[in-house]
Amino acid sequence: MARYTGPTTRINRRFGQAIFAPSKAFERKPHPPGIHGPRLRRKISDYSTGLNEKQKLRFMYGLTEKQFRRTFDKAKAQRGVTGEVFLQMLETRLDNVIYQLGLARSRQAARQFVGHGHIQVNGHKVDIPSYDVKPGDIIEVRDRTSSRQLATRNLEDSQYRTIPAWLALDHDALRATANRLPVAEEMEQGINLQIIVEFYSR
């Protein structure tokens, strides 16, 4: 299972935002990592801007470059605005849906939660984090004590997180339904999708 296992605070400092769970080190040193980080005044090229934006989104969703590029190519082949279709495909990954529902504390944890077989979709166990959730799909925690205890604990920890309107969750049954595909306002904000599209179109 491909995942980033390096220093997370370094990534947060590199992009100037909490891509991963923020730490006190990130709060103390919000500047870029490295000995020249606090005084770095280097001119940023267009290529560097596109690369940083692409890397930021890739780290957010926890994908390898190969997975990320393959998803982009699929989005490019579909009808519609490429950037929005691309982000929509990332948002409807099963691991991201589990995170958005509050059944896991982070996308990394959600990926592990799915991979360990705690989730079923439409009555069938699914342990593939990249599974594409479609409108009408029913996502639920498997009827096992360990699975339901873990999900309940995670829900309590994330009770103040707002569940996007395209998903509906039954807290007691630990069951959710994907009502429709997410729209632009309900997806990850603060990402310049056009720059990413231009970066891959070079």
Side-chain angles (χ1 to χ4, degrees), residues 60-85:
M60 279 182 180
Y61 288 94
L63 274 64
T64 63
E65 177 59 35
K66 185 177 180 180
Q67 292 171 321
F68 195 76
R69 182 60 191 257
R70 186 166 58 233
T71 304
F72 177 83
D73 289 340
K74 287 181 181 178
K76 194 174 181 180
Q78 293 188 20
R79 297 176 63 180
V81 180
T82 300
E84 290 185 11
V85 173

Side-chain angles (χ1 to χ4, degrees), residues 173-187:
L174 296 178
R175 181 186 300 114
T177 304
N179 299 320
R180 53 178 171 76
L181 292 175
V183 295
E185 296 76 21
E186 298 167 329
M187 296 189 285

Side-chain angles (χ1 to χ4, degrees), residues 110-155:
R111 185 182 181 94
Q112 188 177 64
F113 193 74
V114 174
H116 286 182
H118 294 298
I119 294 296
Q120 59 184 30
V121 180
N122 300 328
H124 301 283
K125 186 182 99 169
V126 177
D127 57 7
I128 302 172
S130 61
Y131 177 89
D132 183 26
V133 174
K134 299 176 177 61
D137 279 354
I138 298 174
I139 305 105
E140 57 188 328
V141 177
R142 293 182 66 195
D143 191 17
R144 299 189 308 182
T145 302
S146 59
S147 299
R148 299 185 79 80
Q149 284 181 343
L150 182 58
T152 300
R153 188 163 62 246
N154 289 339
L155 271 177

